[in-house]
């Protein structure tokens, strides 16, 4: 039996097809999304991290972006007609979403926040998104994720800059 979370129960109730995958959660070992991608053998551009932000210190939002991308906070703020956006404290995010840090999902939140899905994720045949607990992701088609989370798709991230070749 696969572990059930509020997120997987929500997806099951929504009728969206998905599968659940686990990985070893190691918060001290670097970027969790990259670790998850390596563990499940997926493209880091199709493994999505879930971040909770505040726009102008008053509007909460949930961002879902590729693990290997950075968030453009100015673009996020502009989506809400705001001036700036910043990461929300893990404690406040957990209080709003019902998920602890490292386990935040856009699906089945305690108080559903507006969800912004990175446009870059829509090019993947399927994406991996946190399933509501540390070390657990769901594999789902991006369009199904968008529909289930009632997400707005927007250009909110920037791909990583390729590493410069080492010169001798």
């Amino acid at each position: 039996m696969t572990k059930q979370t509020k997120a997987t129960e929500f997806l099951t109730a929504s009728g969206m097809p998905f599968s659940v995958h686990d990985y070893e959660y190691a918060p001290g070992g670097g970027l969790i999304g990259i670790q998850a991608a390596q563990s499940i053998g997926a493209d880091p551009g199709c493994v999505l991290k879930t971040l909770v932000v505040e726009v102008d210190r008053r509007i909460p939002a949930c961002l879902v972006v590729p693990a290997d991308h950075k968030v453009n906070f100015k673009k996020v703020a502009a989506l809400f007609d705001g001036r700036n956006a910043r990461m929300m404290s893990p404690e406040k995010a957990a209080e709003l979403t019902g998920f602890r840090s490292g386990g935040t999902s856009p699906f089945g939140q305690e108080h559903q926040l507006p969800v912004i899905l990175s446009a870059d994720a829509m090019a993947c045949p399927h994406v991996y998104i946190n399933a509501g607990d540390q070390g657990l992701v769901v594999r789902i088609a991006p369009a199904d994720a968008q529909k289930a989370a009632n997400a707005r798709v927007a250009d909110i991230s920037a791909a990583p800059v390729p590493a410069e070749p080492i010169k001798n």
Side-chain angles (χ1 to χ4, degrees):
M1 177 76 181
T2 303
K3 181 177 181 178
Q4 292 290 305
T5 66
K6 288 185 291 183
T8 59
E9 290 169 358
F10 177 88
L11 285 171
T12 298
S14 76
M16 297 296 167
F18 69 95
S19 59
V20 179
H21 305 265
D22 60 354
Y23 64 93
E24 186 164 340
Y25 180 79
L31 301 171
I32 302 299
I34 301 300
Q35 289 177 6
Q38 291 170 342
S39 177
I40 60 178
D43 175 354
C46 295
V47 174
L48 309 182
K49 56 189 172 186
T50 307
L51 307 171
V52 181
V53 300
E54 291 179 298
V55 177
D56 294 343
R57 296 183 188 237
R58 60 182 176 77
I59 304 168
C62 179
L63 311 179
V64 185
V65 297
D68 61 349
H69 286 49
K70 292 193 180 287
V71 173
N72 184 320
F73 288 101
K74 290 198 180 293
K75 288 181 179 180
V76 171
L79 292 173
F80 294 91
D81 296 323
R83 294 172 44 116
N84 62 59
R86 66 181 186 152
M87 292 296 298
M88 184 180 287
S89 75
E91 298 80 17
K92 187 173 180 182
E95 184 179 318
L96 285 174
T97 65
F99 297 113
R100 64 183 168 156
S101 181
T104 304
S105 179
F107 312 116
Q109 295 178 356
E110 190 77 26
H111 302 282
Q112 186 60 56
L113 303 181
V115 176
I116 309 298
L117 178 60
S118 174
D120 294 313
M122 300 306 285
C124 297
H126 54 266
V127 291
Y128 294 86
I129 301 175
N130 195 288
D133 199 6
Q134 296 172 340
L136 202 64
V137 292
V138 292
R139 179 183 186 260
I140 188 169
D144 289 345
Q146 176 190 3
K147 185 175 179 183
N150 193 28
R152 179 176 176 183
V153 175
D155 176 20
I156 58 169
S157 66
V161 177
E164 291 281 327
I166 297 174
K167 297 178 183 172
N168 292 333

mmCIF file of all heavy atoms in Angstrom, residues 120-166:
data_model
loop_
_atom_site.group_PDB
_atom_site.id
_atom_site.type_symbol
_atom_site.label_atom_id
_atom_site.label_comp_id
_atom_site.label_asym_id
_atom_site.label_seq_id
_atom_site.Cartn_x
_atom_site.Cartn_y
_atom_site.Cartn_z
ATOM 1 N N ASP A 120 7.788 26.661 -17.826
ATOM 2 C CA ASP A 120 8.831 25.726 -18.263
ATOM 3 C C ASP A 120 8.428 24.271 -18.007
ATOM 4 O O ASP A 120 8.821 23.377 -18.746
ATOM 5 C CB ASP A 120 10.154 26.020 -17.551
ATOM 6 C CG ASP A 120 10.728 27.365 -17.940
ATOM 7 O OD1 ASP A 120 10.775 27.658 -19.147
ATOM 8 O OD2 ASP A 120 11.124 28.124 -17.037
ATOM 9 N N ALA A 121 7.651 24.033 -16.973
ATOM 10 C CA ALA A 121 7.248 22.668 -16.627
ATOM 11 C C ALA A 121 6.281 22.074 -17.641
ATOM 12 O O ALA A 121 6.192 20.851 -17.775
ATOM 13 C CB ALA A 121 6.608 22.649 -15.241
ATOM 14 N N MET A 122 5.567 22.908 -18.364
ATOM 15 C CA MET A 122 4.541 22.418 -19.283
ATOM 16 C C MET A 122 5.137 21.660 -20.475
ATOM 17 O O MET A 122 4.434 20.921 -21.151
ATOM 18 C CB MET A 122 3.663 23.573 -19.763
ATOM 19 C CG MET A 122 2.926 24.297 -18.638
ATOM 20 S SD MET A 122 1.945 23.229 -17.557
ATOM 21 C CE MET A 122 0.551 22.874 -18.626
ATOM 22 N N ALA A 123 6.433 21.812 -20.727
ATOM 23 C CA ALA A 123 7.086 21.120 -21.846
ATOM 24 C C ALA A 123 7.427 19.665 -21.502
ATOM 25 O O ALA A 123 7.732 18.880 -22.396
ATOM 26 C CB ALA A 123 8.353 21.864 -22.250
ATOM 27 N N CYS A 124 7.367 19.310 -20.222
ATOM 28 C CA CYS A 124 7.692 17.947 -19.806
ATOM 29 C C CYS A 124 6.511 17.013 -20.096
ATOM 30 O O CYS A 124 5.360 17.406 -19.932
ATOM 31 C CB CYS A 124 7.983 17.914 -18.302
ATOM 32 S SG CYS A 124 9.419 18.874 -17.799
ATOM 33 N N PRO A 125 6.783 15.766 -20.488
ATOM 34 C CA PRO A 125 5.684 14.821 -20.696
ATOM 35 C C PRO A 125 4.969 14.499 -19.383
ATOM 36 O O PRO A 125 3.780 14.233 -19.352
ATOM 37 C CB PRO A 125 6.356 13.586 -21.284
ATOM 38 C CG PRO A 125 7.807 13.733 -20.969
ATOM 39 C CD PRO A 125 8.092 15.196 -20.796
ATOM 40 N N HIS A 126 5.722 14.513 -18.298
ATOM 41 C CA HIS A 126 5.167 14.354 -16.961
ATOM 42 C C HIS A 126 6.124 15.064 -15.998
ATOM 43 O O HIS A 126 7.289 15.294 -16.330
ATOM 44 C CB HIS A 126 4.996 12.870 -16.582
ATOM 45 C CG HIS A 126 6.248 12.079 -16.741
ATOM 46 N ND1 HIS A 126 6.525 11.374 -17.885
ATOM 47 C CD2 HIS A 126 7.321 11.904 -15.936
ATOM 48 C CE1 HIS A 126 7.707 10.793 -17.766
ATOM 49 N NE2 HIS A 126 8.216 11.101 -16.599
ATOM 50 N N VAL A 127 5.599 15.427 -14.834
ATOM 51 C CA VAL A 127 6.412 16.114 -13.833
ATOM 52 C C VAL A 127 6.288 15.370 -12.504
ATOM 53 O O VAL A 127 5.361 14.589 -12.291
ATOM 54 C CB VAL A 127 5.974 17.589 -13.656
ATOM 55 C CG1 VAL A 127 6.314 18.404 -14.894
ATOM 56 C CG2 VAL A 127 4.490 17.701 -13.315
ATOM 57 N N TYR A 128 7.237 15.625 -11.642
ATOM 58 C CA TYR A 128 7.241 15.071 -10.295
ATOM 59 C C TYR A 128 7.078 16.249 -9.337
ATOM 60 O O TYR A 128 7.869 17.184 -9.369
ATOM 61 C CB TYR A 128 8.549 14.341 -10.009
ATOM 62 C CG TYR A 128 8.742 13.111 -10.866
ATOM 63 C CD1 TYR A 128 9.308 13.211 -12.135
ATOM 64 C CD2 TYR A 128 8.341 11.851 -10.411
ATOM 65 C CE1 TYR A 128 9.482 12.082 -12.925
ATOM 66 C CE2 TYR A 128 8.513 10.717 -11.210
ATOM 67 C CZ TYR A 128 9.085 10.844 -12.456
ATOM 68 O OH TYR A 128 9.245 9.737 -13.237
ATOM 69 N N ILE A 129 6.044 16.174 -8.493
ATOM 70 C CA ILE A 129 5.719 17.258 -7.571
ATOM 71 C C ILE A 129 5.562 16.658 -6.183
ATOM 72 O O ILE A 129 5.032 15.553 -6.024
ATOM 73 C CB ILE A 129 4.413 17.967 -7.994
ATOM 74 C CG1 ILE A 129 4.545 18.545 -9.406
ATOM 75 C CG2 ILE A 129 4.050 19.072 -7.004
ATOM 76 C CD1 ILE A 129 3.260 19.156 -9.955
ATOM 77 N N ASN A 130 5.944 17.409 -5.155
ATOM 78 C CA ASN A 130 5.865 16.896 -3.794
ATOM 79 C C ASN A 130 4.466 16.366 -3.501
ATOM 80 O O ASN A 130 3.460 16.988 -3.837
ATOM 81 C CB ASN A 130 6.251 17.978 -2.787
ATOM 82 C CG ASN A 130 6.517 17.360 -1.434
ATOM 83 O OD1 ASN A 130 5.601 16.928 -0.762
ATOM 84 N ND2 ASN A 130 7.777 17.301 -1.057
ATOM 85 N N ALA A 131 4.434 15.213 -2.849
ATOM 86 C CA ALA A 131 3.174 14.522 -2.562
ATOM 87 C C ALA A 131 2.673 14.763 -1.144
ATOM 88 O O ALA A 131 1.806 14.048 -0.672
ATOM 89 C CB ALA A 131 3.354 13.024 -2.805
ATOM 90 N N GLY A 132 3.229 15.756 -0.455
ATOM 91 C CA GLY A 132 2.712 16.096 0.864
ATOM 92 C C GLY A 132 3.519 15.575 2.029
ATOM 93 O O GLY A 132 3.106 15.694 3.170
ATOM 94 N N ASP A 133 4.697 15.025 1.755
ATOM 95 C CA ASP A 133 5.576 14.577 2.828
ATOM 96 C C ASP A 133 7.014 14.581 2.320
ATOM 97 O O ASP A 133 7.254 14.472 1.114
ATOM 98 C CB ASP A 133 5.199 13.170 3.304
ATOM 99 C CG ASP A 133 5.748 12.834 4.680
ATOM 100 O OD1 ASP A 133 6.340 13.709 5.343
ATOM 101 O OD2 ASP A 133 5.569 11.680 5.114
ATOM 102 N N GLN A 134 7.935 14.685 3.231
ATOM 103 C CA GLN A 134 9.344 14.672 2.866
ATOM 104 C C GLN A 134 9.682 13.318 2.248
ATOM 105 O O GLN A 134 9.296 12.280 2.764
ATOM 106 C CB GLN A 134 10.209 14.941 4.097
ATOM 107 C CG GLN A 134 9.986 16.320 4.668
ATOM 108 C CD GLN A 134 10.680 16.541 6.002
ATOM 109 O OE1 GLN A 134 11.027 15.600 6.697
ATOM 110 N NE2 GLN A 134 10.856 17.803 6.362
ATOM 111 N N GLY A 135 10.374 13.346 1.102
ATOM 112 C CA GLY A 135 10.804 12.126 0.445
ATOM 113 C C GLY A 135 9.728 11.443 -0.384
ATOM 114 O O GLY A 135 9.858 10.267 -0.714
ATOM 115 N N LEU A 136 8.685 12.177 -0.763
ATOM 116 C CA LEU A 136 7.573 11.593 -1.504
ATOM 117 C C LEU A 136 7.118 12.555 -2.605
ATOM 118 O O LEU A 136 6.893 13.732 -2.344
ATOM 119 C CB LEU A 136 6.410 11.331 -0.540
ATOM 120 C CG LEU A 136 5.369 10.303 -0.923
ATOM 121 C CD1 LEU A 136 5.980 8.907 -1.016
ATOM 122 C CD2 LEU A 136 4.243 10.308 0.102
ATOM 123 N N VAL A 137 7.033 12.052 -3.836
ATOM 124 C CA VAL A 137 6.571 12.860 -4.967
ATOM 125 C C VAL A 137 5.500 12.107 -5.748
ATOM 126 O O VAL A 137 5.430 10.879 -5.679
ATOM 127 C CB VAL A 137 7.726 13.255 -5.936
ATOM 128 C CG1 VAL A 137 8.697 14.223 -5.280
ATOM 129 C CG2 VAL A 137 8.453 12.022 -6.468
ATOM 130 N N VAL A 138 4.682 12.871 -6.479
ATOM 131 C CA VAL A 138 3.744 12.257 -7.421
ATOM 132 C C VAL A 138 4.245 12.539 -8.830
ATOM 133 O O VAL A 138 4.814 13.592 -9.098
ATOM 134 C CB VAL A 138 2.290 12.777 -7.264
ATOM 135 C CG1 VAL A 138 1.700 12.332 -5.944
ATOM 136 C CG2 VAL A 138 2.195 14.279 -7.436
ATOM 137 N N ARG A 139 4.049 11.566 -9.701
ATOM 138 C CA ARG A 139 4.336 11.728 -11.129
ATOM 139 C C ARG A 139 2.990 11.971 -11.793
ATOM 140 O O ARG A 139 2.060 11.168 -11.640
ATOM 141 C CB ARG A 139 4.982 10.457 -11.686
ATOM 142 C CG ARG A 139 5.305 10.525 -13.168
ATOM 143 C CD ARG A 139 5.872 9.155 -13.596
ATOM 144 N NE ARG A 139 6.327 9.161 -14.953
ATOM 145 C CZ ARG A 139 5.624 8.682 -15.985
ATOM 146 N NH1 ARG A 139 4.418 8.181 -15.812
ATOM 147 N NH2 ARG A 139 6.134 8.703 -17.200
ATOM 148 N N ILE A 140 2.886 13.093 -12.518
ATOM 149 C CA ILE A 140 1.613 13.511 -13.077
ATOM 150 C C ILE A 140 1.858 14.316 -14.353
ATOM 151 O O ILE A 140 2.912 14.950 -14.489
ATOM 152 C CB ILE A 140 0.829 14.345 -12.017
ATOM 153 C CG1 ILE A 140 -0.600 14.667 -12.460
ATOM 154 C CG2 ILE A 140 1.592 15.587 -11.608
ATOM 155 C CD1 ILE A 140 -1.479 15.250 -11.347
ATOM 156 N N ALA A 141 0.923 14.286 -15.281
ATOM 157 C CA ALA A 141 1.042 15.117 -16.488
ATOM 158 C C ALA A 141 0.923 16.585 -16.060
ATOM 159 O O ALA A 141 0.108 16.914 -15.195
ATOM 160 C CB ALA A 141 -0.062 14.769 -17.475
ATOM 161 N N PRO A 142 1.718 17.486 -16.650
ATOM 162 C CA PRO A 142 1.669 18.883 -16.244
ATOM 163 C C PRO A 142 0.272 19.505 -16.378
ATOM 164 O O PRO A 142 -0.148 20.270 -15.513
ATOM 165 C CB PRO A 142 2.674 19.596 -17.151
ATOM 166 C CG PRO A 142 3.431 18.543 -17.847
ATOM 167 C CD PRO A 142 2.723 17.242 -17.673
ATOM 168 N N ALA A 143 -0.453 19.161 -17.433
ATOM 169 C CA ALA A 143 -1.800 19.726 -17.607
ATOM 170 C C ALA A 143 -2.732 19.229 -16.504
ATOM 171 O O ALA A 143 -3.605 19.979 -16.036
ATOM 172 C CB ALA A 143 -2.353 19.368 -18.984
ATOM 173 N N ASP A 144 -2.558 17.977 -16.067
ATOM 174 C CA ASP A 144 -3.371 17.451 -14.967
ATOM 175 C C ASP A 144 -3.005 18.139 -13.652
ATOM 176 O O ASP A 144 -3.881 18.434 -12.828
ATOM 177 C CB ASP A 144 -3.193 15.941 -14.838
ATOM 178 C CG ASP A 144 -3.838 15.172 -15.975
ATOM 179 O OD1 ASP A 144 -4.663 15.752 -16.723
ATOM 180 O OD2 ASP A 144 -3.508 13.975 -16.137
ATOM 181 N N ALA A 145 -1.730 18.398 -13.444
ATOM 182 C CA ALA A 145 -1.289 19.117 -12.242
ATOM 183 C C ALA A 145 -1.893 20.516 -12.232
ATOM 184 O O ALA A 145 -2.378 20.980 -11.195
ATOM 185 C CB ALA A 145 0.234 19.188 -12.192
ATOM 186 N N GLN A 146 -1.857 21.172 -13.378
ATOM 187 C CA GLN A 146 -2.427 22.521 -13.492
ATOM 188 C C GLN A 146 -3.911 22.500 -13.143
ATOM 189 O O GLN A 146 -4.394 23.323 -12.367
ATOM 190 C CB GLN A 146 -2.224 23.067 -14.902
ATOM 191 C CG GLN A 146 -2.871 24.425 -15.104
ATOM 192 C CD GLN A 146 -2.897 24.866 -16.561
ATOM 193 O OE1 GLN A 146 -2.485 24.142 -17.463
ATOM 194 N NE2 GLN A 146 -3.387 26.067 -16.787
ATOM 195 N N LYS A 147 -4.624 21.549 -13.713
ATOM 196 C CA LYS A 147 -6.065 21.460 -13.483
ATOM 197 C C LYS A 147 -6.371 21.123 -12.019
ATOM 198 O O LYS A 147 -7.228 21.754 -11.399
ATOM 199 C CB LYS A 147 -6.679 20.413 -14.411
ATOM 200 C CG LYS A 147 -8.180 20.329 -14.339
ATOM 201 C CD LYS A 147 -8.725 19.366 -15.371
ATOM 202 C CE LYS A 147 -10.246 19.275 -15.268
ATOM 203 N NZ LYS A 147 -10.794 18.293 -16.208
ATOM 204 N N ALA A 148 -5.676 20.142 -11.468
ATOM 205 C CA ALA A 148 -5.938 19.716 -10.093
ATOM 206 C C ALA A 148 -5.683 20.834 -9.086
ATOM 207 O O ALA A 148 -6.438 21.001 -8.132
ATOM 208 C CB ALA A 148 -5.085 18.497 -9.746
ATOM 209 N N ALA A 149 -4.622 21.601 -9.304
ATOM 210 C CA ALA A 149 -4.261 22.683 -8.376
ATOM 211 C C ALA A 149 -4.926 24.001 -8.739
ATOM 212 O O ALA A 149 -4.712 24.998 -8.049
ATOM 213 C CB ALA A 149 -2.746 22.855 -8.343
ATOM 214 N N ASN A 150 -5.707 24.000 -9.816
ATOM 215 C CA ASN A 150 -6.306 25.243 -10.314
ATOM 216 C C ASN A 150 -5.213 26.306 -10.468
ATOM 217 O O ASN A 150 -5.350 27.450 -10.042
ATOM 218 C CB ASN A 150 -7.421 25.732 -9.382
ATOM 219 C CG ASN A 150 -8.256 26.823 -10.029
ATOM 220 O OD1 ASN A 150 -8.392 26.880 -11.252
ATOM 221 N ND2 ASN A 150 -8.799 27.706 -9.208
ATOM 222 N N ALA A 151 -4.091 25.874 -11.047
ATOM 223 C CA ALA A 151 -2.897 26.714 -11.136
ATOM 224 C C ALA A 151 -2.921 27.628 -12.349
ATOM 225 O O ALA A 151 -3.458 27.278 -13.398
ATOM 226 C CB ALA A 151 -1.648 25.831 -11.199
ATOM 227 N N ARG A 152 -2.316 28.745 -12.172
ATOM 228 C CA ARG A 152 -2.060 29.679 -13.261
ATOM 229 C C ARG A 152 -0.668 29.350 -13.799
ATOM 230 O O ARG A 152 0.280 29.196 -13.022
ATOM 231 C CB ARG A 152 -2.103 31.104 -12.704
ATOM 232 C CG ARG A 152 -1.838 32.186 -13.693
ATOM 233 C CD ARG A 152 -2.022 33.524 -12.993
ATOM 234 N NE ARG A 152 -1.685 34.626 -13.856
ATOM 235 C CZ ARG A 152 -1.695 35.887 -13.479
ATOM 236 N NH1 ARG A 152 -2.048 36.206 -12.240
ATOM 237 N NH2 ARG A 152 -1.372 36.838 -14.316
ATOM 238 N N VAL A 153 -0.535 29.214 -15.103
ATOM 239 C CA VAL A 153 0.767 28.944 -15.708
ATOM 240 C C VAL A 153 1.389 30.291 -16.088
ATOM 241 O O VAL A 153 0.741 31.116 -16.728
ATOM 242 C CB VAL A 153 0.639 28.037 -16.946
ATOM 243 C CG1 VAL A 153 1.988 27.862 -17.635
ATOM 244 C CG2 VAL A 153 0.060 26.690 -16.556
ATOM 245 N N ALA A 154 2.629 30.495 -15.665
ATOM 246 C CA ALA A 154 3.291 31.773 -15.942
ATOM 247 C C ALA A 154 4.801 31.576 -16.020
ATOM 248 O O ALA A 154 5.349 30.612 -15.481
ATOM 249 C CB ALA A 154 2.948 32.797 -14.861
ATOM 250 N N ASP A 155 5.447 32.528 -16.664
ATOM 251 C CA ASP A 155 6.909 32.560 -16.772
ATOM 252 C C ASP A 155 7.452 33.166 -15.482
ATOM 253 O O ASP A 155 7.490 34.386 -15.339
ATOM 254 C CB ASP A 155 7.302 33.392 -17.993
ATOM 255 C CG ASP A 155 8.805 33.560 -18.125
ATOM 256 O OD1 ASP A 155 9.558 32.759 -17.539
ATOM 257 O OD2 ASP A 155 9.221 34.520 -18.809
ATOM 258 N N ILE A 156 7.823 32.309 -14.523
ATOM 259 C CA ILE A 156 8.293 32.807 -13.222
ATOM 260 C C ILE A 156 9.686 32.308 -12.853
ATOM 261 O O ILE A 156 10.168 32.590 -11.770
ATOM 262 C CB ILE A 156 7.322 32.414 -12.087
ATOM 263 C CG1 ILE A 156 7.137 30.897 -12.019
ATOM 264 C CG2 ILE A 156 5.993 33.147 -12.229
ATOM 265 C CD1 ILE A 156 6.414 30.406 -10.785
ATOM 266 N N SER A 157 10.319 31.556 -13.751
ATOM 267 C CA SER A 157 11.628 31.009 -13.405
ATOM 268 C C SER A 157 12.617 31.210 -14.539
ATOM 269 O O SER A 157 12.249 31.520 -15.660
ATOM 270 C CB SER A 157 11.510 29.522 -13.060
ATOM 271 O OG SER A 157 11.140 28.774 -14.188
ATOM 272 N N ALA A 158 13.860 31.023 -14.176
ATOM 273 C CA ALA A 158 14.937 31.119 -15.155
ATOM 274 C C ALA A 158 15.757 29.846 -15.085
ATOM 275 O O ALA A 158 16.100 29.380 -13.992
ATOM 276 C CB ALA A 158 15.818 32.324 -14.859
ATOM 277 N N ALA A 159 16.040 29.270 -16.231
ATOM 278 C CA ALA A 159 16.851 28.055 -16.284
ATOM 279 C C ALA A 159 18.250 28.352 -15.767
ATOM 280 O O ALA A 159 18.739 29.478 -15.876
ATOM 281 C CB ALA A 159 16.915 27.540 -17.719
ATOM 282 N N PRO A 160 18.900 27.341 -15.214
ATOM 283 C CA PRO A 160 20.263 27.557 -14.726
ATOM 284 C C PRO A 160 21.204 27.855 -15.884
ATOM 285 O O PRO A 160 20.999 27.384 -17.003
ATOM 286 C CB PRO A 160 20.620 26.232 -14.059
ATOM 287 C CG PRO A 160 19.716 25.226 -14.689
ATOM 288 C CD PRO A 160 18.464 25.959 -15.069
ATOM 289 N N VAL A 161 22.208 28.639 -15.589
ATOM 290 C CA VAL A 161 23.225 28.949 -16.596
ATOM 291 C C VAL A 161 24.139 27.744 -16.706
ATOM 292 O O VAL A 161 24.619 27.230 -15.690
ATOM 293 C CB VAL A 161 24.030 30.203 -16.181
ATOM 294 C CG1 VAL A 161 25.127 30.493 -17.176
ATOM 295 C CG2 VAL A 161 23.109 31.394 -16.017
ATOM 296 N N PRO A 162 24.379 27.241 -17.916
ATOM 297 C CA PRO A 162 25.288 26.090 -18.047
ATOM 298 C C PRO A 162 26.666 26.432 -17.495
ATOM 299 O O PRO A 162 27.127 27.567 -17.607
ATOM 300 C CB PRO A 162 25.355 25.844 -19.559
ATOM 301 C CG PRO A 162 24.196 26.573 -20.126
ATOM 302 C CD PRO A 162 23.857 27.691 -19.182
ATOM 303 N N ALA A 163 27.279 25.453 -16.899
ATOM 304 C CA ALA A 163 28.617 25.654 -16.331
ATOM 305 C C ALA A 163 29.619 25.968 -17.443
ATOM 306 O O ALA A 163 29.553 25.397 -18.515
ATOM 307 C CB ALA A 163 29.052 24.417 -15.557
ATOM 308 N N GLU A 164 30.518 26.872 -17.132
ATOM 309 C CA GLU A 164 31.592 27.230 -18.062
ATOM 310 C C GLU A 164 32.574 26.061 -18.147
ATOM 311 O O GLU A 164 32.878 25.441 -17.130
ATOM 312 C CB GLU A 164 32.345 28.461 -17.576
ATOM 313 C CG GLU A 164 31.522 29.736 -17.633
ATOM 314 C CD GLU A 164 31.452 30.316 -19.021
ATOM 315 O OE1 GLU A 164 32.418 30.188 -19.784
ATOM 316 O OE2 GLU A 164 30.395 30.874 -19.370
ATOM 317 N N PRO A 165 33.053 25.730 -19.342
ATOM 318 C CA PRO A 165 34.073 24.689 -19.426
ATOM 319 C C PRO A 165 35.342 25.141 -18.708
ATOM 320 O O PRO A 165 35.676 26.326 -18.686
ATOM 321 C CB PRO A 165 34.332 24.520 -20.921
ATOM 322 C CG PRO A 165 33.588 25.601 -21.617
ATOM 323 C CD PRO A 165 32.703 26.289 -20.620
ATOM 324 N N ILE A 166 36.012 24.182 -18.092
ATOM 325 C CA ILE A 166 37.254 24.490 -17.357
ATOM 326 C C ILE A 166 38.349 24.733 -18.385
ATOM 327 O O ILE A 166 38.560 23.936 -19.303
ATOM 328 C CB ILE A 166 37.636 23.354 -16.416
ATOM 329 C CG1 ILE A 166 36.528 23.188 -15.367
ATOM 330 C CG2 ILE A 166 38.975 23.614 -15.764
ATOM 331 C CD1 ILE A 166 36.724 21.997 -14.460
#
